[in-house]
Amino acid sequence: MSKGKIREEEIRRIIRADDEWEPVGPTPMPSLTDLRNWDFRLLDTYEPFYAPFCDLCCLCTFGKCDLTEDKKGACGIDIATQQARWILICSLMGTAAHGAHGRHMIDHLIEKYGEDFKIDLGSQVNVEAPIIRTVTGLKPKNLGDLRKAIEYVEREMIHLVSATHMGQEGNYRDFESKAFHAGTLDHVALEAADIAQIVGYGLPTSIADTPLVDLGWGAIDVKKPTIVVVGHNAITAYAIVDYLRQHDLYDKVEVAGLCCTAHDVTRYDSSAKIIGPLSRQRFFLKAGLADVVVTDEQCVITDIPQMASEAGAAMVACSDKISYGLEEVSAKPVDDILREMLENQKQFLILDSEKAAEVIVRAALALAPLRQERKKLMTKEEASLLSAKCRGTCETCNRACPNLLPVNLAINQARQGDFTKLGSVFLRCIGCAKCEEACVNNIPIQKVMQAAAASDTYKIRAGRGPIHDVEIRKVGSPIVLGTIPGVILFAGCSNFPGDIDDVAWLAEELARRKYIVNLSGCAAMAAAMRKDEDGKTIYEKYIPEFDAGCIVNVGSCISNAHVVGAAIKIANIFATLPNRANFELMADYIINRVGACGVVWGPYSQKALCIGTGAVRWGIPIVLGPHGSKYRRLFMSKKEASDWRVMDGRTKQRVDTQEPTPEHMMLVTETKERALVTIIKQCFRRNDTPPGRAIKLNSYISAYKQVMGSLPDDLQNFIRTEKEIPIVYKREVIAYLKEVGWKPKISLSLPTLIGTYETKVPIEATVK
Amino acid sequence: MSKGKIREEEIRRIIRADDEWEPVGPTPMPSLTDLRNWDFRLLDTYEPFYAPFCDLCCLCTFGKCDLTEDKKGACGIDIATQQARWILICSLMGTAAHGAHGRHMIDHLIEKYGEDFKIDLGSQVNVEAPIIRTVTGLKPKNLGDLRKAIEYVEREMIHLVSATHMGQEGNYRDFESKAFHAGTLDHVALEAADIAQIVGYGLPTSIADTPLVDLGWGAIDVKKPTIVVVGHNAITAYAIVDYLRQHDLYDKVEVAGLCCTAHDVTRYDSSAKIIGPLSRQRFFLKAGLADVVVTDEQCVITDIPQMASEAGAAMVACSDKISYGLEEVSAKPVDDILREMLENQKQFLILDSEKAAEVIVRAALALAPLRQERKKLMTKEEASLLSAKCRGTCETCNRACPNLLPVNLAINQARQGDFTKLGSVFLRCIGCAKCEEACVNNIPIQKVMQAAAASDTYKIRAGRGPIHDVEIRKVGSPIVLGTIPGVILFAGCSNFPGDIDDVAWLAEELARRKYIVNLSGCAAMAAAMRKDEDGKTIYEKYIPEFDAGCIVNVGSCISNAHVVGAAIKIANIFATLPNRANFELMADYIINRVGACGVVWGPYSQKALCIGTGAVRWGIPIVLGPHGSKYRRLFMSKKEASDWRVMDGRTKQRVDTQEPTPEHMMLVTETKERALVTIIKQCFRRNDTPPGRAIKLNSYISAYKQVMGSLPDDLQNFIRTEKEIPIVYKREVIAYLKEVGWKPKISLSLPTLIGTYETKVPIEATVK
Amino acid sequence: MASELMTMPYYKINVLTGTKAAKVVSEPVEAARIIDKATNPLYVFGAEVIDSLVGDRLLIDFTLEIAKSRNIPICATAHVKKKMMELGVLPDSIYDIIEIVHFLKDKNWMGVRGKGFHDLVLFTGVRCDLAERGLSTLKHFAPHLKTFAICRRSHPNADFAVPVITKTEKWRVYLEGVISELGTVKA
Amino acid sequence: MASELMTMPYYKINVLTGTKAAKVVSEPVEAARIIDKATNPLYVFGAEVIDSLVGDRLLIDFTLEIAKSRNIPICATAHVKKKMMELGVLPDSIYDIIEIVHFLKDKNWMGVRGKGFHDLVLFTGVRCDLAERGLSTLKHFAPHLKTFAICRRSHPNADFAVPVITKTEKWRVYLEGVISELGTVKA
Ligand code: SF4
Ligand code: SF4
Ligand code: SF4
Ligand code: SF4
Ligand code: SF4
Ligand code: SF4
Ligand code: SF4
Ligand code: SF4
């Protein structure tokens, strides 16, 4: 369906089109097909790469259908299209998770403060919502406006879900375009949700040096009553903090979090603790250190009720997304609830966050004294004893391990009292418990790891939220010129292929090379888990500003919006291009001129997939760790062989740049070493000035030499003129270029894809 | 999240709570958890039965996870919960398909007529939207009100999709409750969509004897330019009819449809033709009889572009759900589009329905003369020749056939000039083309079937839409008393286990026994495909009223709403219970007193799953054909062993009825014979009066004897007093009851589940 | 590592995705042994037993012999009862296939003869795709029993399955083999 | 019916769901024959070749011997190049695993030595789960070539795979067997 007049007027009304802060661009509140030409333009150069995870389709009862050897399903679908459909399905789970989170947060705050409650992100942030402005054309002023953004997401989403039904979309490119749309909606939701909680709960904004917060399970003072909040929606966690404050209990009770709720609760109150990322949920909960376990939503291990009751802990669920079949008791008196919890170990669902907070705190106070005995970790002796039956030979554990770890050797050594190997397995363990489930001798491997895990306390900086307009003004020019070599965002989950702290290594390698390094979510936590010889984490060593060589924790997963927002702001604030309802103009600017790269080193979730897919549509390349291959789809060029033609914005001529920049839009790399050089390369942009490119190449060469032992094998692709050869490597580079028959290439000052495909955006719009 | 005050006020505003047509009940616009207690009450008696279709979960990159032998996924999920999650995912595809359809239809009509356009369903229908009234509390007056219903669906849906993300819901009962919610939303969307098109396009309403329409591929006059519309959203099809009418071309051009668009276009204009259900799409399109193939949305075979171009037909896609990667050309001049279509065989996406209509008609007129030669079916001789290489021995075809058909024998006989077996295979063929894909000799089996398929023309009655209030008044009492033995709806798809016309057999067996038989969608088409010795179909033989022994085609899949609506109307109009925002009250009435049963004999789609799941929540049991087992979930009691206690509404005492009625809420039966007795049994209700029960038992015994050769083996479960024994079978039944030690049971006049679980509905509400 | 091998079933629609698949029972003597070992078996007859010819006899002739020789109670599904009665046999219970599977999941169910849960359930003649679903249910939710699909098209979701046997003659030999071997092992 | 059997790979995480699974090459001589027959093979080295010991030698020592003996060009993925250079060997091409797979899909790609598409691609040392994804891509989207996963953990998505070999000693024997048998068949 194409947009009719009435819908167009409705949109103009919703976004207050007559407010003339900027002219309304061509695509306010884009529908499913409005950005399809842009999507197809991207897909022309960056083909989807599919790695089927299953040969079959089992989505309807005509199947299962065998899709090997070019066979089609009963519905006519082929394997490529089926993969793309799957990507859309999974992306929508991500969009919905964030969208529903945003809806909940915004509605909750509207209930508290009304829809006119103002959005004010402090003195440093005037462009408050770059994504919402660009996508919808609305400049949100208050909570009611944020709700409009979510309503837009809800409205679009149903069409996308519909397209996944059997017999709907039949072409992989259109599925990918729809997945991009899901990504865009996701970003709108992210931004709306985080802005809402920032203003509603007074989370940090317009401040760079947020407090340092304690992280690690060793940081929890288990002698206190211990409340552990798990999930990604901190509404109940905030209520717990409020209750503790109101009752002067804050220093008597330990509040600690797992996953993003941990980030957010420490943004609210920096004396809360972060236990760690998703991969530590099971480990920590099995250890039994929590007196009350509180689940909200998203990324919550589903057998928490069972783990809590095995540990003798109380357990409260707080979300309609995760209700565990429990009785909802918001309407019951607190005393009655507590009685049943404490006497009968009953678990409850409590949707009223304030009531939940009271129940949780009082349960923790009541339970803690009774649980002192249980709040102890396994000793090495106990662990050895529990491992007694293992001879390390059957390897059943290994064969079940999704991270391919040598569990057998580790347990066999632990049996003999040596925990070194188990310690290193723990560092790589994603906490799935499949090994212990598989163990022929029923060794409780996750518990045995308690004896091997280091219990350090680490420092992380509390999530700082939006990047400041003034920071953008400062770095805009060097980023676009290329003299700041890139803006990196480490986002996503803890499904790491190697050690949990590899992210710290990558972040530091980049920060030392003067990249602007941002982190969020589980990745931000993992990056805190490495100390230098002085015992400092990267958050203590590096300045928390959005600037070259600095390291920023933006916050929880929904804070990812701010880094995408920063890229938009560069176009909007620094380059003064209008962003209002101007998606293609912004994305075109980013892909050609903003050397940004997202990294999801430990991807597992549909949310991370969706965020990444959305980023690609903005022109931000994504590098994934190996587990990302199981998402089933990447976006890759064929390097020199692909179409690298762009328009020269000044001459309006089509020009073949011959340079694959950015080379891929979504790629998996196998090792962290390879990731390092790939991330660096993904920051190259067509618009780099020769000095800027020289700086980027300098990074690239130095890193490549460090990990690959030679000059980059594709160096010739990225040197356009001799001026771009980094001085330190001049001689060897020139020799190499000669050897491979390098020829100079064109370097444009106004490269743009606008004009290379059918679009409503005039090429003039790219020049400002 | 629980509903706050502001949200409650907002709902009251949306539904105009102050309009006092009825008091607002306890659950206006219920959120995810508002009907959870009702759901759990149902699940207590009707446990989910899971039949995993795959041992694994592959939904996130922690997996695949092996869920056999009680193993959990990395996220902690177990196999039962994973099945329930899958059910929710698939149900949501259904909800979204109908929701997006409704949104499109309503927005399209609002563009045409404005949001104030009145809803008027004619003199016979005053309770215009029983589902919307009951679920939301809104009595829709105009298109704008229908849009509110869809907005409610959109808003709820995002939370449900969110719950499917890894790490969200962890309990199968809550997943099922959410799937029920998806079903409820689906029903709201169905009703809104069909009401919109009825009023917007003047489809039949308040009329029972709609015109008889031609059905079957033999009905198409291929000498005329032939346009074939495929899908479920007739907006473009309506525009085609309008264009033909305006240009006086209607009698010169053949418009025929496949799937629900066919139903709807014949509701709009009864001279259009219905080719057949989904199972005939591939067969018909391969035959090449269409000059222009038009796809809209839902249930559209995905390789239509390829089949159209192989047949030299033009092809236009019309939906943002199915865009096939084609260029969208709504903005281009028609002549340019036509040129490219006719000269270069280019296919297009045209979202502007009026432009599409013009292009389609003119293309058909231009192409038809050129295609006369191709518009011929395969002769028997050609078919034999094409089968020449088959010896019937390799059976590769059979092994690929999802309907387990003996293709090898059929083709081998066809080779020898005997098409009998192939004809009978064709009757059972679901049109997937897997056999020909698998054939080691590349025999084009689907094409060869052309020589074996009967080309009869059948009569079907155009879909009549809503059931009339006056009909409800007439049948309400006998239905509730049980003297009309049941209301049956044959709905859903053409994935039949046996012959395509088995539905006709079932429908007639029931109509003869004085059931009220309704049909919709593909089932309604298939039921037309059997003629009696006088050459009459059931639509010609039976009165098209909602009354005992009559047969009604309600219309397309979205018209299913009207049969659910009829059940509600019995409670509301006949029993005068208030339905406004009163879901539990209505559902409780239906499950205890309205002997309705839904049958989906050829289920394939996620939509059918969702409709069925929604029906269960209303208290309407569903019987599925064998392919329905691949949905992975049923709802079954343990017969005598389950909890059959209810409240006696008069005494307010809990009473054990000891009778399993309705016995199951979702069940698969293997054969049509077994289906017949099961359907009959599923119409028993606790409220049946002794004479009513006697009539139902009479049906049950007669059918059972017919297909099973004896008295029912569970007869004792359903006879409460001797008065209920059907006179004709009195002697043998009494002897049987003695033999099995039968004892009389309680028979209640006001049985209700209200009061047996926690609910806001007072038991008094059930007595009126 | 026999359990590490999976065979493809006759109908590809049932194609395995599993990690726990049937042990293929290639020899009638093995099949007989499995049946003999059971202490409380049940035999489920599907609609095909009354439609399908094995040579010149109906499939039900063979399955009845198997049932009788070890006094195994029969559950007649679909509309099988009618034909059985014509043959003069009264089945021990009447459920449709999904119903009997639903009961079998429950370890506390007393079984069709009230002797407690069945430890081995034989299936013959159930529509292959439907059988596969029911067997999957039992595989996952009925750890207390074993299933044996006596079907020439093979059933990966069963605990024990016959290999794919395309030739009717061989199928007859297999069935007759089972019948003649039954009782040769002490239960 | 060998093609009807699927073996379970070493890592269950890769568990087959497919209907087209590897032919298991149990004998080194068969492996050598497959390699010998190829007209334009390619050998992809993954990161593990430089980390993993087979007895007292690095895995790369063996894979290099295989490559050299038939003059098979090498693609070094991940950061393997560094170690290879230390060993004095320059790989023929440098791509990360997903990149080389992306190129291999394209029948028109001229290959690492410009001689046209590779008809056989050997893999060793790629992270098992990632390899399985790449092999799946090639199975579905590169019908013009065959893949051979020379990995002791077995790879169902390859065309040819080594069976699971848990004992290092046997693995060494297998590899040495391949090396010694190579060239015994005329290409
Ligand atoms: S897609 Fe996933 S759930 Fe479906 S068959 Fe394959 S592995 Fe199983
Ligand atoms: S959606 Fe298509 S490919 Fe998937 S099972 Fe259904 S018919 Fe087969
Ligand atoms: S818990 Fe850790 S070691 Fe065990 S299988 Fe999972 S990832 Fe491997
Ligand atoms: S499965 Fe258990 S016993 Fe076997 S090697 Fe692993 S830890 Fe040891
Ligand atoms: S959603 Fe859970 S069960 Fe499924 S693949 Fe992910 S971790 Fe495994
Ligand atoms: S097209 Fe018909 S006969 Fe052929 S495999 Fe499909 S259902 Fe069976
Ligand atoms: S696959 Fe082809 S050749 Fe073989 S039996 Fe079937 S129709 Fe005949
Ligand atoms: S009945 Fe089923 S197949 Fe037919 S049109 Fe409706 S959903 Fe599609």
Side-chain angles (χ1 to χ4, degrees), chain A residues 175-193:
Chain A
F175 268 126
E176 294 296 352
S177 170
K178 289 175 165 77
F180 280 141
H181 200 52
T184 299
L185 300 177
D186 182 85
H187 288 199
V188 167
L190 291 176
E191 189 173 73

Side-chain angles (χ1 to χ4, degrees), chain A residues 29-30 135-136 148-156 181 185:
Chain A
M29 296 200 162
V135 176
T136 67
K148 290 178 181 177
I150 295 290
E151 279 165 356
Y152 162 67
V153 172
E154 289 166 349
R155 181 184 171 124
E156 289 299 308
H181 200 52
L185 300 177

Side-chain angles (χ1 to χ4, degrees), chain C residues 23-34:
Chain C
K23 175 167 171 14
V24 174
V25 181
S26 306
E27 296 304 322
V29 57
E30 277 181 85
R33 205 169 290 144
I34 290 163

Side-chain angles (χ1 to χ4, degrees), chain B residues 47-56 66-70 79-80 395 398-404 434 497-498 626-627 629-630 634 636-639 663-664 667-671 673-674 681 704-711 713, chain C residues 8-21 46-48 76-83 85 94-103 105-106 125-130 132-134 136-137 139-141 143 157 164 166:
Chain B
E47 300 164 23
F49 171 102
Y50 296 115
F53 203 17
C54 178
D55 289 351
L56 308 169
D66 170 8
L67 303 178
T68 57
E69 296 175 323
D70 274 338
I79 186 81
E395 300 187 33
N398 298 13
R399 298 186 70 176
C401 179
N403 220 14
L404 325 179
K434 290 191 185 192
H627 289 296
S629 64
K630 288 178 263 175
L634 303 165
M636 294 168 69
S637 80
K638 289 249 170 74
K639 298 179 182 260
E663 188 168 283
H664 303 300
L667 182 70
V668 159
T669 62
E670 185 174 354
T671 60
E673 293 84 359
R674 185 85 200 184
K681 188 162 64 167
Y704 208 95
K705 286 195 161 216
Q706 178 184 336
V707 300
M708 305 282 280
S710 74
L711 284 179
D713 297 85
Chain C
M8 191 83 85
Y10 182 85
Y11 289 115
K12 290 194 182 170
I13 191 68
N14 300 329
V15 159
L16 258 200
T17 57
T19 53
K20 191 182 167 229
E48 210 189 301
T77 66
H79 53 286
V80 167
K81 182 184 183 187
K82 189 170 187 180
K83 182 78 182 185
M85 285 172 63
I94 308 293
Y95 293 106
D96 208 8
I97 176 66
I98 290 293
E99 288 183 313
I100 183 66
V101 168
H102 187 52
F103 279 106
K105 283 190 303 178
D106 183 358
V126 180
R127 206 187 136 95
C128 276
D129 50 2
L130 188 54
E132 201 56 35
R133 298 300 92 236
S136 167
T137 300
K139 173 170 101 175
H140 285 283
F141 301 107
N157 276 310
V164 174
T166 47

Side-chain angles (χ1 to χ4, degrees), chain A residues 53 302 432 434 604 606, chain B residues 56-67 72-78 82 85 164-167, chain D residues 13:
Chain A
F53 202 17
T302 59
C432 70
K434 291 191 185 192
Y604 97 83
Q606 293 92 352
Chain B
L56 308 169
C57 172
C58 60
L59 286 172
C60 87
T61 83
F62 278 139
K64 296 176 190 163
C65 295
D66 170 8
L67 303 178
K72 294 177 197 163
C75 61
I77 209 164
D78 62 23
Q82 173 62 10
R85 173 154 75 144
T164 67
H165 189 283
M166 179 277 192
Chain D
I13 190 68

Side-chain angles (χ1 to χ4, degrees), chain A residues 389-398 407-409 411-412 435 438-443 445:
Chain A
K389 285 199 182 152
C390 176
R391 287 297 167 276
T393 46
C394 74
E395 300 186 34
T396 318
C397 45
N398 298 13
V407 186
N408 68 326
L409 301 178
I411 293 294
N412 189 35
C435 50
C439 175
V440 295
N441 287 315
N442 297 315
I443 298 169
I445 300 172

Side-chain angles (χ1 to χ4, degrees), chain B residues 206-280:
Chain B
S206 286
I207 290 172
D209 57 335
T210 51
L212 286 163
V213 168
D214 286 348
L215 180 146
W217 59 280
I220 320 297
D221 180 357
V222 297
K223 289 197 285 304
K224 294 185 188 169
T226 304
I227 296 169
V228 172
V229 289
V230 190
H232 282 61
N233 185 331
I235 285 177
T236 304
Y238 297 147
I240 291 169
V241 171
D242 289 345
Y243 185 91
L244 291 172
R245 284 176 181 162
Q246 282 149 20
H247 294 78
D248 240 343
L249 286 164
Y250 208 107
D251 55 345
K252 303 196 184 63
V253 175
E254 198 75 345
V255 178
L258 283 153
C259 280
C260 281
T261 290
H263 269 302
D264 286 339
V265 73
T266 55
R267 287 164 84 186
Y268 190 47
D269 191 312
S270 61
S271 55
K273 311 283 169 67
I274 297 177
I275 299 167
L278 176 55
S279 57
R280 294 293 182 253

